[in-house]
């Protein structure tokens, strides 16, 4: 595997991705072989905003490899947040830990961290921007449960507009051949145009549906997510429509015997409890696949550790990102890094496109 | 050992109990033998309400066996509490952890958790309902310090009405032969009638006393607990009586040379600091016995792990528990489970008796 | 090594200190040899006030030795703080843990803890009083980076009046031969007279300077600390002077090629980011030296563990410490311990001098 950090799944080659997915399967089949493979190593989980769920999945993965843990999960009251820059924290922690997992409310924080870290950095969520190990979890689950990542008809239900996990999954699955996406959502919560363009560029088929019932007989996979109440245009619309986006036993009866149902969890009420008993429901198993995926990732990342301080980067442009949630807003020492797309500038930290004047 | 979970010490056979107690003694004598016996295992401590003391005792026990730790201790601000059901959390965590320790403010939460967990569940306190490892700690301490659990005259001082630890200890010691209970409390804080009935059914002797001085010469064991100020009928009553329920050096002078003083801790002022120097004071050692008790329990529970999802339970009755602190009040998917006692229904989660209409 | 606890670096003999410093160097050169040397041991970090930075440095050191961790970092909401005395907590925790690291806002809390602990106690900060492992970190860094602890010209910049780390460093370095201190500060923030007396008694040279520029060409070491804005006599004074106490590239250009710059971190803006690239800047490496220093300390302290409860101490005088931040103010059972200096009493917990009437 080539990658030194995991910031964005898009920057990982398909070869690297396949290597991690295959390796996760090996671990699943032989978990006891791996009990001590990272003995003597330390992982730091730097959670600038609390996410018990994500943090526990990383911690479990590390511990199952014999890796030890340091970190924090809510630095609000701690000295870490007392005016210290992200750079200084990362420089210090990468003296302590062999691998760093970071979650931060600002977009691009993981990329920024990797620029100063002597140890590999894994992005565990940078605001609403990226959360690559969730998508890796989804891919490992699908690969193992369906035996393939291509030639799948994938149902996607929920909020297609804001759902970070759905966007990332679509991007990743579009890279494999002959995948088809059937999307069930409200008209207001359709997929953003740039992702529709992306699917078309990759030659993927896609279609919209108004109800789950329409797509159930056809799909190989159903990826459920939640539509938050406040996303509906009105309380009346919510009350009238909410049942449409709920998976229940009756809808499951319409589906193929080898359907697999996934959900990034936590589930609220968008899947009824009775569906849990259905052997096609795999959302709880998905968390176990996520553990194997993270174990594979940690092993591969630790193999790539050099302990060098990365070479200093210089600003590429004399410009400032306009996204107020970009990490460059608060960490002013960061070099200004942009790539040019059709003459516009795109911030390398948060992927915000800044229009030419 | 037969038990798959430890929810209620009452559901553990005397054989199982004796096995744990004996095994705790073996560990105490040979702690270094056990340093790695749970190597490669993970324990999750799910503390829905913080209890640093209890959590640290479990964590120490697990770590001393080479078991690793995940968990949380105050999910108020974390995603765990964001609308996820207890069932879903337990299903996910039991994919991560080989054994689960749970503390929750709702009565019956540990039983409910065990119904969905692939891993053994240990109850570390479910509201004011049960706290079986505290009682196990008391039994191990007594067994080791006195050499027996029968033929004991046990002094109990403090709040007999609300004291969960005292109730549980009485129930457990009543099962052994020829134990006699001497209780010192205020008239308002006497033992509940159902426990008096219990002692009588088991053929135990018992008596009430107004002062510690009366019972000190006779007792083999003194189990001290605290009477909270607000339990006294008035501030005047508190000021007038508080000294009666305080153990000091003068009262210790009345006791046998082989008396043992226990206390579940934390101690506030119901035992004076000077008593700490008395070799008969064993309340600090008690915490060490608790560590060995929990080590024994963890080893035995891990031996019983099957990793199966428990079979689904169906409601036994069309009724609803009336206890507002019962876990069935908030987790609505739980089957309604009751046992019938003299025609009344008793909730299996919280042991509340629902009268026939 | 003789010392059973590390409360105050002043109570450690120079032989013990040199042993730790040498041993830290051995660990730095051969880190993998030490991966399991404390296997089976448990360290408790009792942080009565949060200090993520210090706690992580201790945790990393322990984990790199195979030592396991229990503890808390903010007992405000936990049962530990519910009226339990420091003594009781320490008695219980020292049944669980083989070594205890304590941080507490009250001065003398570490000394008080060591009087009841079966396990060695390391002071990780007791209010503004002592923080010996920071100074140990500084000494290990200097020893390794300069090859010696004597014959050094040491620049000290910042708040000389309130800076605990600077005071402690001066005291330690004064014990080595031919060290010279050049201090840069505001007139209001000069070194307290008792430390000037101390340097003179040890025969150390010292001088004051108004600017960093004056001393840069001469110094072997620059120890930077921050002057907090509120320490300046006025906002105008702050704005006018702040640049004087900031280390930047221009000032670095005046210095020797083998200068070493240290800083206890966190750094705010008293060292500009550009200095980070200078190979003479060693403040990030300093945290790594701190890890080795703490590893050495933990190993040596664990070797000295007897697991005995320390013998009870009696009050030496019928007096009460007048320092409201002294641990004796809140923990009333503590014996009153004083030493006599020129007829005055000096509190052994907090070093406050109580004048004769």
């Amino acid at each position: 595997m080539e990658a030194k950090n995991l910031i964005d799944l898009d920057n990982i080659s398909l070869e690297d991705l396949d290597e991690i997915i295959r390796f996760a399967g090996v671990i699943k089949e032989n978990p006891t072989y791996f009990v001590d493979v990272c003995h003597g190593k330390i992982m730091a989980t730097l959670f600038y905003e609390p996410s018990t769920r994500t943090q526990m999945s990383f911690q479990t993965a590390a511990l199952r490899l014999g890796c030890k843990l340091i970190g924090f999960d809510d630095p609000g009251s701690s000295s870490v947040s007392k005016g210290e820059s992200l750079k200084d924290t990362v420089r210090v922690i990468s003296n302590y830990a062999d691998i760093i997992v970071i979650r931060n409310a600002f977009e691009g924080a993981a990329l920024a961290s990797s620029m100063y870290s002597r140890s590999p950095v894994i992005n565990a969520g940078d605001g609403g921007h990226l959360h690559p190990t969730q998508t890796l979890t989804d891919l490992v689950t699908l690969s193992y449960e369906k035996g393939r990542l291509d030639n799948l008809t994938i149902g996607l239900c929920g909020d297609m507009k804001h759902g970070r996990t759905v966007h990332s999954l679509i991007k990743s699955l579009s890279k494999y051949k002959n995948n088809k996406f059937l999307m069930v959502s409200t008209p207001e919560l359709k997929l953003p145009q740039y992702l529709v363009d992306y699917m078309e560029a990759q030659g993927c088929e896609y279609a919209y549906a108004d109800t789950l019932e329409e797509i159930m007989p056809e799909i190989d996979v159903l990826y459920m997510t939640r539509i938050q109440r406040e996303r509906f245009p009105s309380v009346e619309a919510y009350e009238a429509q909410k049942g449409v986006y709920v998976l229940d036993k009756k809808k499951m009866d319409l589906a193929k015997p080898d359907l697999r149902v996934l959900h990034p969890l936590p589930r609220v009420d968008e899947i009824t409890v009775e569906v849990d008993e259905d052997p096609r429901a795999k959302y709880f198993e998905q968390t176990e696949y996520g553990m194997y995926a993270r174990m594979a990732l940690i092993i591969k990342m630790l193999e790539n550790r050099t302990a060098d301080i990365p070479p200093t980067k210089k600003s590429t442009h004399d410009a400032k990102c306009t996204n107020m949630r970009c990490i460059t807003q608060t960490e002013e020492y960061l070099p200004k890094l942009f790539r040019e797309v059709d003459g516009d500038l795109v911030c390398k930290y948060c992927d915000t496109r800044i229009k030419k004047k």
Side-chain angles (χ1 to χ4, degrees), chain A:
Chain A
M1 178 163 163
E2 267 185 65
K4 287 212 170 313
N5 304 287
L6 178 59
I7 307 305
D8 181 350
L9 216 53
D10 252 23
N11 295 340
I12 304 289
S13 68
L14 269 193
E15 289 70 33
D16 276 4
L17 198 55
D18 284 341
E19 187 184 337
I20 297 173
I21 292 171
R22 268 198 316 274
F23 193 36
V26 173
I27 298 172
K28 181 183 159 63
E29 296 301 319
N30 313 280
T32 57
Y33 294 6
F34 294 87
V35 162
D36 287 316
V37 297
C38 298
H39 181 64
K41 301 296 181 190
I42 292 184
M43 185 171 90
T45 55
L46 307 186
F47 275 52
Y48 283 85
E49 54 176 15
S51 173
T52 309
R53 190 178 311 280
T54 301
Q55 195 171 19
M56 282 207 291
S57 71
F58 273 105
Q59 289 175 335
T60 304
L63 291 174
R64 290 217 171 270
L65 299 169
C67 195
K68 296 181 180 80
L69 298 170
I70 57 169
F72 51 75
D73 60 3
D74 183 13
S77 63
S78 89
S79 55
V80 170
S81 61
K82 274 186 206 143
E84 188 175 61
S85 69
L86 184 63
K87 172 190 173 177
D88 283 14
T89 299
V90 166
R91 279 292 299 273
V92 170
I93 300 295
S94 72
N95 284 342
Y96 291 166
D98 304 283
I99 186 164
I100 292 178
V101 176
I102 187 167
R103 187 182 185 102
N104 191 296
F106 283 91
E107 301 177 11
L111 177 63
S113 300
S114 71
M115 290 162 50
Y116 301 102
S117 176
R118 297 175 59 196
S119 300
V121 171
I122 298 177
N123 186 359
D126 55 341
H129 182 223
L130 299 166
H131 190 10
T133 59
Q134 177 63 53
T135 306
L136 190 63
T137 294
D138 300 339
L139 295 176
V140 169
T141 308
L142 280 181
S143 169
Y144 213 82
E145 287 289 333
K146 301 301 300 182
R148 64 186 193 277
L149 289 174
D150 52 18
N151 291 294
L152 292 169
T153 300
I154 301 130
L156 298 161
C157 177
D159 181 346
M160 299 289 110
K161 187 174 175 189
H162 307 90
R164 178 176 63 176
T165 56
V166 167
H167 297 177
S168 183
L169 185 64
I170 287 175
K171 275 174 102 169
S172 289
L173 284 177
S174 295
K175 295 173 184 166
Y176 293 88
K177 283 188 194 159
N178 292 326
N179 285 328
K180 182 177 173 183
F181 299 97
L182 302 180
M183 294 174 279
V184 180
S185 189
T186 67
E188 294 84 5
L189 297 173
K190 283 208 164 144
L191 202 67
Q193 188 58 39
Y194 85 94
L195 277 166
V196 174
D197 296 346
Y198 191 94
M199 287 191 291
E200 289 186 348
Q202 300 284 335
C204 288
E205 268 190 78
Y206 63 93
Y208 300 101
D210 292 327
T211 66
L212 269 170
E213 280 88 346
E214 291 172 56
I215 67 165
M216 289 305 284
E218 199 183 336
I219 54 180
D220 301 310
V221 175
L222 176 57
Y223 198 89
M224 289 293 300
T225 63
R226 194 179 167 220
I227 305 185
Q228 293 183 298
R229 186 182 296 226
E230 57 271 29
R231 301 293 192 195
F232 285 89
S234 66
V235 176
E236 294 74 32
Y238 169 73
E239 289 298 331
Q241 293 174 27
K242 65 177 180 181
V244 174
Y245 309 103
V246 169
L247 182 65
D248 58 16
K249 197 171 173 310
K250 219 171 128 194
K251 289 170 191 154
M252 286 296 286
D253 288 344
L254 306 171
K256 293 183 187 174
D258 63 350
L259 172 75
R260 289 294 178 265
V261 182
L262 272 62
H263 187 297
L265 301 185
R267 167 254 311 257
V268 181
D269 53 13
E270 59 277 18
I271 303 179
T272 63
V273 179
E274 61 191 0
V275 176
D276 299 357
E277 312 281 325
D278 191 306
R280 295 169 295 181
K282 292 295 175 188
Y283 32 90
F284 293 125
E285 282 82 351
Q286 200 175 344
T287 60
E288 190 174 345
Y289 286 113
M291 180 175 79
Y292 298 124
R294 289 181 179 96
M295 289 169 78
L297 187 66
I298 291 167
I299 292 172
K300 293 293 175 189
M301 287 280 147
L302 279 171
E303 283 174 1
N304 283 356
R305 181 175 194 256
T306 60
D308 295 332
I309 298 165
T312 307
K313 290 204 175 173
K314 304 269 177 204
S315 292
T316 57
H317 293 77
D318 182 20
K320 194 170 176 0
C321 181
T322 55
N323 173 9
M324 291 313 291
R325 297 185 308 274
C326 179
I327 188 72
T328 55
Q329 302 290 347
T330 56
E331 308 285 323
E332 298 183 354
Y333 54 86
L334 288 172
K336 313 299 174 206
L337 303 177
F338 296 91
R339 58 175 177 272
E340 297 188 27
V341 177
D342 301 335
D344 291 342
L345 294 181
V346 176
C347 175
K348 284 197 182 178
Y349 297 95
C350 69
D351 292 305
T352 296
R353 190 165 181 153
I354 305 173
K355 295 280 174 204
K356 269 185 300 194
K357 285 156 225 171

